[in-house]
Amino acid sequence: MAEEFKVIVFTLAHEEYGIEVDKVRTIERMAPITRVPKTPAFVKGVINLRGIVVPVIDLRSRFGLAEAEATENSRIIIVAANELEVGFIVDSANDVIDLTSDAVENPPEVVGGIKAKYLSGVAKFGEDRLLILLNLSEVLNRSEIIQLEQFGA
């Protein structure tokens, strides 16, 4: 029996991606980001989210895509990864859809220039849409999480 799950759909460089709803805490409008020295380039800094300091990662930069200016559609998706809350800057977050495990296939080696290790799969939905599902444990690998925890404390 195929498992059903809900996915938040967001865009990056005109491609659609998904994160399972149960890993998403909240979706926020862009907020002032405080830069933190000596962090990887894709770590944009931290935001104060209702009194909690949350590290923010630019997913375009993380995946080696061309950077883009924030627009009124840009969002910060706050996800929970190993007891740590982290914000992902995305071009837009516009949908929640239901998927079944049957619709998800293993990712090809490279999808849109993004290494397969960052992806958990590719889902077919709708008439001819493909959704790239993120593998959060690789997007935030162990050593980076330790680094981020240091200024989240």
Side-chain angles (χ1 to χ4, degrees):
M1 179 88 184
E3 223 179 287
E4 262 201 21
F5 57 100
K6 288 188 180 308
V7 174
I8 302 265
V9 177
F10 65 91
T11 58
L12 274 183
H14 308 294
E15 296 287 337
E16 290 186 302
Y17 295 82
I19 298 177
E20 290 174 46
V21 165
D22 63 356
K23 297 196 172 38
V24 175
R25 292 282 187 254
T26 175
I27 299 173
E28 303 289 330
R29 293 188 174 278
M30 289 301 290
I33 298 173
T34 304
R35 191 87 179 104
V36 177
K38 295 189 171 93
T39 55
F42 60 84
V43 177
K44 289 301 167 201
V46 293
I47 59 171
N48 180 348
L49 186 63
R50 293 180 272 291
I52 298 168
V53 176
V54 178
V56 176
I57 289 175
D58 184 340
L59 277 188
R60 278 177 168 261
S61 180
R62 177 69 172 123
F63 294 158
L65 301 171
E67 289 200 30
E69 288 296 314
T71 68
E72 63 185 39
N73 293 326
S74 298
R75 295 289 180 267
I76 299 175
I77 299 177
I78 309 296
V79 299
N82 306 340
E83 307 303 313
L84 174 70
E85 288 193 356
V86 178
F88 292 147
I89 299 173
V90 300
D91 296 350
S92 66
N94 37 12
D95 222 347
V96 176
I97 60 165
D98 291 311
L99 286 179
T100 61
S101 52
D102 294 2
V104 180
E105 296 179 8
N106 287 334
E109 278 306 299
V110 173
V111 176
I114 297 170
K115 292 186 186 80
K117 75 174 188 171
Y118 296 136
L119 312 176
S120 64
V122 177
K124 296 177 186 147
F125 74 106
E127 287 292 305
D128 55 354
R129 290 168 73 186
L130 283 179
L131 184 67
I132 302 164
L133 301 174
L134 291 191
N135 177 349
L136 286 183
S137 60
E138 280 299 330
V139 172
L140 294 168
N141 73 35
R142 187 89 199 107
S143 64
E144 288 159 354
I145 288 172
I146 291 165
Q147 229 180 339
L148 293 175
E149 282 173 341
Q150 289 169 352
F151 50 77

